[in-house]
PDB file of all heavy atoms in Angstrom:
ATOM      1  N   LEU M1728    -125.458 177.313  44.864  1.00  0.00           N
ATOM      2  CA  LEU M1728    -126.831 177.154  45.348  1.00  0.00           C
ATOM      3  C   LEU M1728    -126.925 176.009  46.349  1.00  0.00           C
ATOM      4  O   LEU M1728    -126.026 175.167  46.444  1.00  0.00           O
ATOM      5  CB  LEU M1728    -127.791 176.913  44.169  1.00  0.00           C
ATOM      6  CG  LEU M1728    -127.480 175.777  43.188  1.00  0.00           C
ATOM      7  CD1 LEU M1728    -127.880 174.426  43.730  1.00  0.00           C
ATOM      8  CD2 LEU M1728    -128.203 176.025  41.861  1.00  0.00           C
ATOM      9  N   PHE M1729    -128.030 176.029  47.115  1.00  0.00           N
ATOM     10  CA  PHE M1729    -128.324 174.937  48.031  1.00  0.00           C
ATOM     11  C   PHE M1729    -128.881 173.770  47.223  1.00  0.00           C
ATOM     12  O   PHE M1729    -129.941 173.876  46.600  1.00  0.00           O
ATOM     13  CB  PHE M1729    -129.353 175.375  49.075  1.00  0.00           C
ATOM     14  CG  PHE M1729    -128.794 176.286  50.122  1.00  0.00           C
ATOM     15  CD1 PHE M1729    -128.777 177.663  49.937  1.00  0.00           C
ATOM     16  CD2 PHE M1729    -128.278 175.775  51.303  1.00  0.00           C
ATOM     17  CE1 PHE M1729    -128.270 178.516  50.891  1.00  0.00           C
ATOM     18  CE2 PHE M1729    -127.770 176.617  52.276  1.00  0.00           C
ATOM     19  CZ  PHE M1729    -127.754 177.992  52.079  1.00  0.00           C
ATOM     20  N   ALA M1730    -128.183 172.633  47.226  1.00  0.00           N
ATOM     21  CA  ALA M1730    -128.630 171.473  46.448  1.00  0.00           C
ATOM     22  C   ALA M1730    -129.477 170.532  47.288  1.00  0.00           C
ATOM     23  O   ALA M1730    -130.465 169.968  46.797  1.00  0.00           O
ATOM     24  CB  ALA M1730    -127.428 170.722  45.882  1.00  0.00           C
ATOM     25  N   ALA M1731    -129.107 170.347  48.559  1.00  0.00           N
ATOM     26  CA  ALA M1731    -129.855 169.413  49.413  1.00  0.00           C
ATOM     27  C   ALA M1731    -129.515 169.678  50.873  1.00  0.00           C
ATOM     28  O   ALA M1731    -128.480 170.288  51.195  1.00  0.00           O
ATOM     29  CB  ALA M1731    -129.535 167.968  49.050  1.00  0.00           C
ATOM     30  N   ILE M1732    -130.411 169.232  51.757  1.00  0.00           N
ATOM     31  CA  ILE M1732    -130.174 169.294  53.198  1.00  0.00           C
ATOM     32  C   ILE M1732    -130.447 167.907  53.769  1.00  0.00           C
ATOM     33  O   ILE M1732    -131.513 167.335  53.546  1.00  0.00           O
ATOM     34  CB  ILE M1732    -131.080 170.328  53.884  1.00  0.00           C
ATOM     35  CG1 ILE M1732    -130.785 171.736  53.343  1.00  0.00           C
ATOM     36  CG2 ILE M1732    -130.891 170.291  55.398  1.00  0.00           C
ATOM     37  CD1 ILE M1732    -131.727 172.799  53.886  1.00  0.00           C
ATOM     38  N   TYR M1733    -129.445 167.369  54.488  1.00  0.00           N
ATOM     39  CA  TYR M1733    -129.631 166.086  55.171  1.00  0.00           C
ATOM     40  C   TYR M1733    -129.983 166.389  56.628  1.00  0.00           C
ATOM     41  O   TYR M1733    -129.208 167.018  57.339  1.00  0.00           O
ATOM     42  CB  TYR M1733    -128.369 165.228  55.101  1.00  0.00           C
ATOM     43  CG  TYR M1733    -127.985 164.815  53.701  1.00  0.00           C
ATOM     44  CD1 TYR M1733    -126.641 164.703  53.338  1.00  0.00           C
ATOM     45  CD2 TYR M1733    -128.952 164.538  52.740  1.00  0.00           C
ATOM     46  CE1 TYR M1733    -126.278 164.326  52.058  1.00  0.00           C
ATOM     47  CE2 TYR M1733    -128.599 164.158  51.461  1.00  0.00           C
ATOM     48  CZ  TYR M1733    -127.267 164.056  51.115  1.00  0.00           C
ATOM     49  OH  TYR M1733    -126.917 163.682  49.852  1.00  0.00           O
ATOM     50  N   ARG M1734    -131.191 165.932  57.064  1.00  0.00           N
ATOM     51  CA  ARG M1734    -131.660 166.210  58.426  1.00  0.00           C
ATOM     52  C   ARG M1734    -132.142 164.896  59.027  1.00  0.00           C
ATOM     53  O   ARG M1734    -133.138 164.334  58.583  1.00  0.00           O
ATOM     54  CB  ARG M1734    -132.779 167.242  58.393  1.00  0.00           C
ATOM     55  CG  ARG M1734    -133.319 167.632  59.762  1.00  0.00           C
ATOM     56  CD  ARG M1734    -134.315 168.770  59.623  1.00  0.00           C
ATOM     57  NE  ARG M1734    -133.677 169.975  59.113  1.00  0.00           N
ATOM     58  CZ  ARG M1734    -134.328 170.993  58.542  1.00  0.00           C
ATOM     59  NH1 ARG M1734    -135.649 170.921  58.392  1.00  0.00           N
ATOM     60  NH2 ARG M1734    -133.674 172.050  58.117  1.00  0.00           N
ATOM     61  N   ASN M1735    -131.384 164.413  60.020  1.00  0.00           N
ATOM     62  CA  ASN M1735    -131.652 163.083  60.586  1.00  0.00           C
ATOM     63  C   ASN M1735    -131.556 162.058  59.451  1.00  0.00           C
ATOM     64  O   ASN M1735    -130.532 161.934  58.806  1.00  0.00           O
ATOM     65  CB  ASN M1735    -132.984 163.048  61.305  1.00  0.00           C
ATOM     66  CG  ASN M1735    -133.021 164.035  62.474  1.00  0.00           C
ATOM     67  OD1 ASN M1735    -132.013 164.232  63.165  1.00  0.00           O
ATOM     68  ND2 ASN M1735    -134.159 164.692  62.680  1.00  0.00           N
ATOM     69  N   ASP M1736    -132.603 161.325  59.184  1.00  0.00           N
ATOM     70  CA  ASP M1736    -132.582 160.362  58.077  1.00  0.00           C
ATOM     71  C   ASP M1736    -133.340 160.871  56.864  1.00  0.00           C
ATOM     72  O   ASP M1736    -133.655 160.106  55.946  1.00  0.00           O
ATOM     73  CB  ASP M1736    -133.214 159.029  58.531  1.00  0.00           C
ATOM     74  CG  ASP M1736    -132.381 158.350  59.609  1.00  0.00           C
ATOM     75  OD1 ASP M1736    -131.144 158.507  59.580  1.00  0.00           O
ATOM     76  OD2 ASP M1736    -132.965 157.681  60.489  1.00  0.00           O
ATOM     77  N   GLU M1737    -133.609 162.175  56.834  1.00  0.00           N
ATOM     78  CA  GLU M1737    -134.418 162.743  55.762  1.00  0.00           C
ATOM     79  C   GLU M1737    -133.556 163.600  54.835  1.00  0.00           C
ATOM     80  O   GLU M1737    -132.643 164.291  55.266  1.00  0.00           O
ATOM     81  CB  GLU M1737    -135.526 163.609  56.378  1.00  0.00           C
ATOM     82  CG  GLU M1737    -136.477 164.218  55.358  1.00  0.00           C
ATOM     83  CD  GLU M1737    -137.509 165.123  56.005  1.00  0.00           C
ATOM     84  OE1 GLU M1737    -137.417 165.361  57.235  1.00  0.00           O
ATOM     85  OE2 GLU M1737    -138.401 165.610  55.287  1.00  0.00           O
ATOM     86  N   THR M1738    -133.862 163.507  53.531  1.00  0.00           N
ATOM     87  CA  THR M1738    -133.207 164.374  52.538  1.00  0.00           C
ATOM     88  C   THR M1738    -134.217 165.414  52.082  1.00  0.00           C
ATOM     89  O   THR M1738    -135.303 165.078  51.605  1.00  0.00           O
ATOM     90  CB  THR M1738    -132.727 163.560  51.330  1.00  0.00           C
ATOM     91  OG1 THR M1738    -131.772 162.585  51.765  1.00  0.00           O
ATOM     92  CG2 THR M1738    -132.066 164.476  50.299  1.00  0.00           C
ATOM     93  N   ILE M1739    -133.843 166.688  52.237  1.00  0.00           N
ATOM     94  CA  ILE M1739    -134.734 167.788  51.895  1.00  0.00           C
ATOM     95  C   ILE M1739    -134.171 168.533  50.694  1.00  0.00           C
ATOM     96  O   ILE M1739    -132.991 168.902  50.678  1.00  0.00           O
ATOM     97  CB  ILE M1739    -134.885 168.763  53.083  1.00  0.00           C
ATOM     98  CG1 ILE M1739    -135.443 168.029  54.309  1.00  0.00           C
ATOM     99  CG2 ILE M1739    -135.738 169.966  52.706  1.00  0.00           C
ATOM    100  CD1 ILE M1739    -135.399 168.868  55.572  1.00  0.00           C
ATOM    101  N   ILE M1740    -135.015 168.717  49.675  1.00  0.00           N
ATOM    102  CA  ILE M1740    -134.646 169.589  48.552  1.00  0.00           C
ATOM    103  C   ILE M1740    -135.155 170.981  48.913  1.00  0.00           C
ATOM    104  O   ILE M1740    -136.371 171.231  48.925  1.00  0.00           O
ATOM    105  CB  ILE M1740    -135.267 169.101  47.237  1.00  0.00           C
ATOM    106  CG1 ILE M1740    -134.871 167.650  46.970  1.00  0.00           C
ATOM    107  CG2 ILE M1740    -134.833 170.004  46.094  1.00  0.00           C
ATOM    108  CD1 ILE M1740    -133.378 167.417  46.876  1.00  0.00           C
ATOM    109  N   PRO M1741    -134.255 171.911  49.234  1.00  0.00           N
ATOM    110  CA  PRO M1741    -134.682 173.181  49.831  1.00  0.00           C
ATOM    111  C   PRO M1741    -135.270 174.162  48.815  1.00  0.00           C
ATOM    112  O   PRO M1741    -134.979 174.118  47.633  1.00  0.00           O
ATOM    113  CB  PRO M1741    -133.386 173.732  50.417  1.00  0.00           C
ATOM    114  CG  PRO M1741    -132.319 173.172  49.533  1.00  0.00           C
ATOM    115  CD  PRO M1741    -132.800 171.813  49.109  1.00  0.00           C
ATOM    116  N   ASN M1742    -136.129 175.046  49.340  1.00  0.00           N
ATOM    117  CA  ASN M1742    -136.561 176.218  48.590  1.00  0.00           C
ATOM    118  C   ASN M1742    -136.240 177.444  49.440  1.00  0.00           C
ATOM    119  O   ASN M1742    -135.612 177.326  50.499  1.00  0.00           O
ATOM    120  CB  ASN M1742    -138.044 176.145  48.230  1.00  0.00           C
ATOM    121  CG  ASN M1742    -138.929 175.939  49.456  1.00  0.00           C
ATOM    122  OD1 ASN M1742    -138.691 176.539  50.512  1.00  0.00           O
ATOM    123  ND2 ASN M1742    -139.941 175.097  49.337  1.00  0.00           N
ATOM    124  N   GLY M1743    -136.677 178.605  49.007  1.00  0.00           N
ATOM    125  CA  GLY M1743    -136.314 179.828  49.715  1.00  0.00           C
ATOM    126  C   GLY M1743    -136.799 179.892  51.146  1.00  0.00           C
ATOM    127  O   GLY M1743    -136.183 180.554  51.989  1.00  0.00           O
TER     128      GLY M1743
END
Side-chain angles (χ1 to χ4, degrees):
L1728 54 79
F1729 286 88
I1732 298 175
Y1733 296 145
R1734 181 174 296 160
N1735 299 323
D1736 294 328
E1737 182 183 6
T1738 299
I1739 301 170
I1740 304 301
N1742 55 41

